[in-house]
Amino acid sequence: MSQQASAAESIDQVETVESVYKEDFNGKDNGDGKMTVLLLGVDQREAEIPRTDTIMIAEYDPASKEAKLASLMRDLYVEIPGHGYNKLNAAFALGGPELLRETIAVNLGIEIEYYSIVDFQGFTQIVDTLSPDGMQVDVEKNMQYRSGDGTTDIQLQEGIQTLDGEELLGYVRYRSDARGDFARVERQQKVIQLLKDELLSFQGVLKAPRLIGNIQPYIDTNLGGSKMIQVGKDLLLNPVESMDMISIPTTDNVWDERKPYPIGLVLNHDEESTKQTLQNFFEQE
């Protein structure tokens, strides 16, 4: 039996955790055999209602073994159904993943079937399980930032560094420079590619069942137990061969704009152009 098959078989033994948002989420199946997931990164330490620092749409096509990933910047100015215009990440605070799903459907024309909310502690578990000795990353500049409450402390030096889970989390969250979220999203996509390569390596495949078990306490998803097992086994037996990525809004269709308090500075854009760009990327019309 191959290592992939052995690991896939072990996934059957992993218990799954039910979602607290599942009953409210009205995901839509596009009927094309592809799986579309709303991926949200949150920090449970910061507030009773956590912020969505990371908002992504992931699509996986098991037939072609291809994946697509769109990063949506949290300050994107959109219309939130029933609440008027605001930053995209405000939709989660106002109505959880379902309102965020509706907001994406209304503004961007993309239907999403599943969601997965990952607490940042889960991210560190992923990194430390896959690479106990750390992951090698080319840090493009010195990064120093400490939040007022002390929950976030980023101290990284420029150059090739070996980062553990907590340090790599700081790397992907850092936004205290002139390019703000644009640079942060680039780092997130860079690290996702590194994690994908690590997971699909020989050693990564062997760690897959333990990885799923370790991160479950930090995940809230409407992917049911059988579906999660099916997807996990499929990804191990039929690894993703290519992953296309995009950031929304694109740099040629965005400008900073200040809105009245409490909204503040937003990323405004030509709404129809943004919608068409994302639909073309996912081939949803």
Side-chain angles (χ1 to χ4, degrees):
M1 180 182 294
S2 69
Q3 298 293 346
Q4 286 90 344
S6 178
E9 197 171 90
S10 298
I11 288 178
D12 285 324
Q13 310 304 316
V14 176
E15 297 182 1
T16 55
V17 178
E18 287 298 319
S19 163
V20 298
Y21 292 106
K22 183 177 180 180
E23 297 303 319
D24 296 326
F25 195 80
N26 298 311
K28 310 295 183 185
D29 183 353
N30 292 305
D32 55 8
K34 300 175 183 178
M35 186 175 74
T36 309
V37 184
L38 179 62
L39 299 175
L40 306 175
V42 303
D43 190 346
Q44 296 282 5
R45 301 169 303 176
E46 292 191 341
E48 185 176 340
I49 301 177
R51 297 183 303 167
T52 51
D53 268 15
T54 302
I55 304 172
M56 297 178 173
I57 304 172
E59 179 187 85
Y60 171 60
D61 185 349
S64 65
K65 303 178 187 176
E66 295 177 345
K68 294 183 178 181
L69 186 72
S71 297
L72 309 183
M73 296 193 189
R74 63 184 189 177
D75 292 343
L76 184 67
Y77 195 54
V78 295
E79 183 177 7
I80 300 175
H83 298 273
Y85 274 81
N86 207 325
K87 297 177 182 180
L88 179 62
N89 72 339
F92 183 83
L94 292 167
E98 169 57 19
L99 184 56
L100 185 52
R101 182 201 66 79
E102 292 178 35
T103 301
I104 291 170
V106 167
N107 290 268
L108 303 174
I110 301 298
E111 294 291 355
I112 298 170
E113 186 174 5
Y114 301 104
Y115 75 88
S116 184
I117 304 172
V118 182
D119 183 81
F120 286 135
Q121 292 181 55
F123 175 86
T124 64
Q125 287 286 330
I126 292 171
V127 175
D128 291 338
T129 300
L130 285 176
S131 299
D133 297 325
M135 294 191 67
Q136 194 171 81
V137 179
D138 187 359
V139 179
E140 59 270 22
K141 61 184 295 182
N142 292 335
M143 299 179 183
Q144 281 84 38
Y145 172 79
R146 185 190 298 271
S147 63
D149 60 6
T151 58
T152 301
D153 186 10
I154 303 170
Q155 305 295 327
L156 300 175
Q157 301 300 313
E158 180 181 357
I160 303 295
Q161 306 290 341
T162 300
L163 308 181
D164 63 19
E166 193 68 29
E167 291 167 331
L168 196 60
L169 175 61
Y171 175 73
V172 300
R173 293 193 71 188
Y174 182 79
R175 64 196 297 260
S176 299
D177 58 23
R179 297 186 62 232
D181 266 351
F182 288 93
R184 190 171 68 98
V185 165
E186 288 175 5
R187 286 191 290 273
Q188 289 174 355
Q189 294 186 347
K190 172 182 173 181
V191 168
I192 284 175
Q193 187 66 53
L194 289 172
L195 290 173
K196 178 184 79 73
D197 293 343
E198 185 69 28
L199 177 60
L200 297 180
S201 69
F202 177 78
Q203 289 298 324
V205 165
L206 296 179
K207 297 171 184 174
R210 179 158 54 93
L211 174 65
I212 294 174
N214 285 352
I215 66 174
Q216 277 190 337
Y218 308 102
I219 290 182
D220 185 329
T221 180
N222 68 329
L223 272 165
S226 60
K227 183 68 174 180
M228 184 179 292
I229 289 170
Q230 173 192 330
V231 172
K233 292 170 70 174
D234 191 44
L235 286 170
L236 285 176
L237 296 172
N238 302 287
V240 172
E241 294 184 349
S242 67
M243 181 184 293
D244 293 331
M245 297 183 179
I246 194 174
S247 297
I248 296 295
T250 54
T251 54
D252 60 347
N253 176 34
V254 65
W255 60 91
D256 291 334
E257 193 169 312
R258 186 165 294 281
K259 299 296 181 180
Y261 179 84
I263 297 176
L265 193 65
V266 303
L267 295 176
N268 215 337
H269 57 115
D270 180 285
E271 297 177 22
E272 190 57 39
S273 177
T274 298
K275 182 176 182 179
Q276 193 61 53
T277 297
L278 197 59
Q279 287 185 335
N280 289 344
F281 179 72
F282 284 118
E283 299 175 348
Q284 288 190 25
E285 298 288 348

